[in-house]
Structure formats: structure tokens, C-alpha cells
Amino acid sequence: MQYSEKVMDHFMNPRNVGEIEDASGVGTVGNAKCGDIMKVYLKIEDNIVKDAKFKTFGCGAAVATSSMATELIKGKTIQEAMEITNKAVMEALDGLPPIKVHCSCLAEEALHAALWDYAQKNGIVIEGLEEPVNDISEHEEIPEEE
Ligand code: FES
């Protein structure tokens, strides 16, 4: 399995690890199939994501994608934040091996769960945002190891 230099860099030196105490939104999602869990904290002011942090009990690709996803979301408006898909995160990391693509979904879903939490707390609707699931493996197929 070959990881890009960017994936290795974000795995070895993950950005934004930790938590935000007075977070505007917090999202936790897991994947029951691999057992990995991701928690994302967002600080949102005036419709802008001012800060993002994450904690994970997850594989290397989950660490790298969350690191990149939290980097990408900082400074974005909420609508721009909605455009940070797992595909966008993977592109920013110069790709992931196919068997690790689902790990990037964990990062995307955790961002969405945190945005959902923010929307709920503030009584707003974020266009295009669906209610998060706790276990993303219910919604996807993970390729089996050969
Ligand atoms: Fe589960 Fe990577 S193996 S997130």
C-alpha cells in the first residue's frame, strides 16, 4: 500500500489535534466495521469557522484526513464548509489507496455532525446538511481485504 507524502506528513504531524472547550458545535461519528471513532470540534462566529480541532481513535488515514479536513475548514463560511467533501480532502492529500477511502468519509461525516450540532444549538438550517448518523458503516460498503 502506497501513501502519498502529504498523507504521511499529516499522519506523522497531525494538525489541529485536541478539543475546543467552548466549541460552537461538536460531532462524533464512528464506523462499526473498523471500530474507528472521530470527534470534531468547531468554533463558529459570524458564520465563519474560526477554529477546528479533532480527536480520533482511528487509523492513520483517519488521522491524516481529519488533519487535512480541519485545516481546510478553518476560515471558511458555513456554506463553503459544506463543500469540504471526503473527495476534496483526498485530493488535498494527493489521494488515498482505495481500501482507505472510507476513512476519509469518517472525517467528512464528523465535520457534518459538528455543523449539525451547531445548527441545532442555534436553531438554524444549513442548506444541504442532513442529520448525521452515529455509525457511518450503515451507509457504505467497505471493500473487503483480499
Ligand atoms: Fe477505519 Fe480507517 S480503518 S477509519
Side-chain angles (χ1 to χ4, degrees), residues 31 34 36 59 61-62 100 102-103 106:
N31 184 323
C34 64
D36 290 353
C59 73
K100 286 287 168 187
H102 76 274
C103 315
L106 200 61

Side-chain angles (χ1 to χ4, degrees), residues 41-130:
Y41 303 78
L42 296 178
K43 179 92 191 149
I44 301 171
E45 276 165 22
D46 301 329
N47 201 44
I48 307 274
V49 180
K50 299 276 187 190
D51 200 9
K53 294 229 185 296
F54 77 96
K55 283 209 281 196
T56 189
F57 185 81
C59 73
V63 171
T65 50
S66 308
S67 169
M68 182 55 93
T70 48
E71 281 290 272
L72 290 176
I73 202 171
K74 281 198 282 184
K76 298 279 195 301
T77 66
I78 290 175
Q79 275 317 311
E80 287 166 347
M82 287 296 296
E83 287 161 26
I84 302 173
T85 59
N86 75 307
K87 215 167 145 249
V89 172
M90 283 196 294
E91 274 168 18
L93 285 169
D94 295 336
L96 275 178
I99 196 154
K100 286 287 168 187
V101 170
H102 76 274
C103 315
S104 64
C105 298
L106 200 61
E108 177 189 320
E109 289 302 320
L111 288 186
H112 285 176
L115 287 170
W116 179 268
D117 182 44
Y118 169 74
Q120 292 283 301
K121 283 180 177 149
N122 291 276
I124 58 168
V125 174
I126 298 174
E127 204 181 320
L129 186 63
E130 285 171 19

